Amino acid sequence: MTLLAIETSCDETAAAVVDGGGGLLSSVVASQAAAHAVHGGVVPELAARMHLERIAAVVEEALRPAGGWGAVEGIAVTRGPGLVGCLLVGTGYAQAAAAARGIPVVGVSHMVGHVWAARLARPDLEPPFVALVVSGGHTDLVHVRGPGEAELLGATRDDAVGEAFDKVARLLGLPYPGGPAIDRAATAGDPARYRLPRPVLPDFAFSFSGLKTAVRYLLDDRLAADPRGLQRPGLVADVAASFQAAAVDTLCLQLEAALEHTGAGRVVVVGGVASNRALRAAVARRCGALADVIIPAPEFCTDNAAMIGVAGGLEVARRGYDRDPIVVDPGLTAYS
Ligand code: KG4
Ligand code: ZN
């Protein structure tokens, strides 16, 4: 079963081709980050329009090394969660292309896609495992018991961790997207310079808005003493490193608790924030003795279509293709 996969839920226009064995034949990601950077964040209308302009070329580029349309047996496409206009472009394109070529379509959850990106690192990965899903919109701990069978153990009560990285980067005057900018700035900083909160809530829940506010008060305090502080690399690097250390420690504390609670022998860390170098190293160090740790390559942690292809293949095996038109769901939360 060779699947074309399409992902347009936020600001990456992506297409990929996967084969029946879960092998990846191609993966193309056209990032819109530069277009949104001038606005300091994703502008939904602009994102949808850019998907519309780029999708055909991105799909053609993904198909070229994979044998063209003739090799495609079905299409997997993200149907949510995400920005409604963006989801409509991807699902509209997928269904029109499928109708024109007489092939079937399956709608896939972006979050299930993030989870199964782990198969791109470990093709024989099987449940049960615990997934820490950390992105711009989600901070979820999920116990995956089988394909289509997942229990949400805990989630953030306010900001997602990626959102906290983006907001703290903005406070520090770093460019959008903030996560990679903090990751880079932190390499020159002292993670122990400022002690920031590590909120550990019951029920594996997270809260990152207090951490972001603590950074704001810390900066207000520092800048009152030295108004030009943000122009000095030392302050930016130390705050970036201290914030990153607090965020990573918080994620690891809840992940360790979830591993103990479930007794799972495998853990996967996925979503855009899983490309963070400090998080990757900390999870490997802290959970490596408790469980088999699987973290996809950074390009499969941030949004991509290869993960939608892998999840789409599992979905088709479990319940077949969609018979009815795909309905986009911007607030889709289910992992199963
Ligand atoms: O999964 P993703 O690409 O899109 C969503 O589904 O949200 O995640 C994007 C998030 C953004 O908040 C971005 O700042 C963050 O992932 N991110 C990072 C890094 N790379 C991307 N956060 C920390 N360190 C990174 N290296
Ligand atoms: Zn995502």
Side-chain angles (χ1 to χ4, degrees):
M1 176 178 47
T2 299
L3 281 183
L4 166 68
I6 294 174
E7 153 63 41
T8 62
S9 65
C10 190
D11 63 340
E12 326 279 358
T13 313
V17 180
V18 297
D19 68 22
L24 183 62
L25 303 181
S26 66
S27 176
V28 178
V29 180
S31 173
Q32 304 176 0
H36 297 290
V38 288
H39 304 286
V42 178
V43 181
E45 279 300 316
L46 176 61
R49 188 169 295 274
M50 290 187 76
H51 285 310
L52 201 53
E53 285 164 3
R54 293 175 167 189
I55 188 153
V58 167
V59 166
E60 291 303 327
E61 192 180 334
L63 287 174
R64 215 169 295 131
W69 276 109
V72 177
E73 286 157 69
I75 303 179
V77 62
T78 304
R79 74 171 193 92
L83 299 167
V84 66
C86 297
L87 293 166
L88 284 169
V89 173
T91 53
Y93 183 91
Q95 292 178 106
R101 289 168 178 82
I103 54 177
V105 189
V106 64
V108 177
S109 153
H110 182 80
M111 305 320 293
V112 173
H114 270 307
V115 167
W116 287 101
R119 275 255 174 110
L120 294 161
R122 187 74 65 80
D124 60 358
L125 173 68
E126 292 291 345
F129 58 82
V130 166
L132 174 64
V133 187
V134 278
S135 71
H138 292 76
T139 310
D140 295 334
L141 269 167
V142 188
H143 189 196
V144 181
R145 297 211 175 89
E149 204 191 322
E151 180 198 357
L152 182 65
L153 297 171
T156 185
R157 292 189 183 162
D158 40 59
D159 291 355
V161 64
E163 196 179 346
F165 269 86
D166 294 334
K167 287 177 176 171
V168 167
R170 195 194 276 240
L171 292 175
L172 289 171
L174 295 171
Y176 170 88
I182 290 206
D183 192 338
R184 281 192 301 275
T187 54
D190 174 5
R193 178 72 180 80
Y194 303 107
R195 180 77 193 170
L196 292 163
R198 280 129 165 99
V200 176
L201 306 180
D203 299 330
F204 310 107
F206 298 94
S207 168
F208 287 101
S209 75
L211 174 56
K212 170 200 67 192
T213 306
V215 172
R216 206 179 68 223
Y217 287 146
L218 167 66
L219 277 177
D220 286 351
D221 185 55
R222 294 284 92 199
L223 295 179
D226 176 9
R228 294 167 65 85
L230 287 185
Q231 283 144 39
R232 303 185 211 297
L235 178 66
V236 173
D238 285 344
V239 173
S242 300
F243 159 75
Q244 181 174 268
V248 165
D249 194 19
T250 305
L251 293 171
C252 286
L253 287 166
Q254 292 294 54
L255 180 56
E256 285 162 342
L259 279 178
E260 197 175 316
H261 170 79
T262 58
R266 272 177 294 267
V267 56
V268 314
V269 188
V270 289
V273 182
S275 57
N276 181 270
R277 289 170 289 177
L279 178 61
R280 299 170 78 91
V283 173
R285 189 178 67 247
R286 292 169 61 162
C287 300
L290 302 170
D292 187 10
V293 175
I294 301 142
I295 311 177
E299 69 264 34
F300 299 128
C301 290
T302 47
D303 288 350
N304 66 87
M307 69 185 196
I308 301 303
V310 175
L314 290 168
E315 204 85 337
V316 171
R318 190 169 64 85
R319 63 174 176 90
Y321 288 97
D322 284 316
R323 286 194 200 92
D324 297 322
I326 291 173
V327 178
V328 300
D329 185 351
L332 186 65
T333 51
Y335 276 92
S336 43

